[in-house]
Amino acid sequence: DTWRYAFEEALEEVQGKYAQKFKEEIEANSDHEVQLFPFGTLGESADTMEQAQAGILQFVDQSPGFTGALIPEAQVFFVPYLLPQDQETLFEFFRNSVAINEMFPELYAEQGLELLTMFPEGEVCMTTQEPVRSPEDLNEVKFRVMTNPLLVESYEAFGAVPTPLPWGEVYGALQTGIIQGQENPGFFLESTKMYEVTDVITCIGHNNFTTAVMANKDFYDGLQEADQLLIQDATAAAFEYILEYQQGLQEESLDKIREAKPEMEINILSEEERQPFMETATQVEEAFIGMAGESGQEILDQLKQDLEDARQATSG
Ligand code: 6CS
């Protein structure tokens, strides 16, 4: 039989690399076939999520950036400066987080989804037309964010005019000037040629792009135990593969951008310059609790504990 798996990026981008490895593992260890549907083949992220919930797709990769309405708690990944910048700590966190591995699966299950894994895709940087050295520089900048209410809060707190859009509209909206900025991890800025339609990259260390892979729950629950194990093993293998794949990827991607467009301005803000952006974290955290309630608070507390544990484990 054939299992259908959709993701939000191209085949050679991070989600695609993960999906290819998952497919390879499943097919090497069983008679099942996995058919991959990269971004654009089945619509936007909101469309593929509906298809996964309806059981038309067996697997889907959807980022919390688009899961806000469905699972408000998943917006926790948009509290700025929550995730560590240090890659070793970050990976340790994703491997062992109780919030991710035990709490989120229950919330996804309520939406008919079996959460298989979450993984990071790289530090998120802004691309804009003008340099950004402080929140004042974002004043009146129409800044595209994923369709996620907390991300809107966050960019409002950063001083911008947040404009939620699905991914497919971003390049054109920058080109025509409907928006003047957007954010994404380094590899994606390079592969989607954001440097063709913006002139400045600004990294303020506020986030790492998190994504989630899930299965339709009825499909998953209906499988024999051997097939569930097969899926779990393939998930674990692809997870380790994708972390390895990302070693050094951010720097390489920024270098490729410099090569493709030497006049691109790339600014990594100093600790001092980051300060006013960092100060928005409390306010955005409060907004998160407002949106996700008690269960959001529990997730946030656990996540902070998990981050502390990851820091301890990787220190020294
Ligand atoms: O910004 C977005 O909408 C897209 N960014 C990434 C890195 N992956 C998929 C998502 O749709």
Side-chain angles (χ1 to χ4, degrees), residues 62-165:
Q62 188 186 54
S63 304
F66 297 108
T67 319
L70 210 59
I71 304 164
E73 292 90 341
Q75 301 185 102
V76 74
F77 294 102
F78 299 100
V79 173
Y81 298 98
L82 187 61
L83 296 183
Q85 275 208 272
D86 172 59
Q87 208 173 43
E88 201 193 336
T89 314
L90 184 77
F91 289 180
E92 174 77 15
F93 162 74
F94 274 92
R95 273 197 195 97
N96 301 315
S97 166
V98 174
I100 290 177
N101 297 304
E102 292 173 30
M103 293 169 83
F104 272 120
E106 289 178 20
L107 299 170
Y108 279 76
E110 287 168 18
Q111 303 302 329
L113 300 161
E114 176 76 26
L115 178 64
L116 297 175
T117 192
M118 289 188 180
F119 61 85
E121 293 194 43
E123 186 190 330
V124 171
C125 298
M126 309 179 195
T127 67
T128 50
Q129 308 300 358
E130 303 290 333
V132 177
R133 289 288 182 186
S134 72
E136 286 72 47
D137 293 329
L138 285 171
N139 190 18
E140 292 184 14
V141 171
K142 289 208 193 72
F143 199 99
R144 179 268 176 171
V145 291
M146 289 181 280
T147 53
N148 178 303
L150 198 71
L151 203 44
V152 169
E153 286 286 333
S154 166
Y155 266 88
E156 234 159 44
F158 282 176
V161 184
T163 311
L165 284 177

Side-chain angles (χ1 to χ4, degrees), residues 8-9 15 45 66 121 144 146 167 184-185 187-188 209:
E8 306 169 304
E9 296 172 6
Q15 289 182 18
S45 290
F66 297 108
E121 293 194 43
R144 179 268 176 171
M146 289 181 280
W167 171 250
N184 257 308
F187 83 88
F188 203 67
F209 192 99

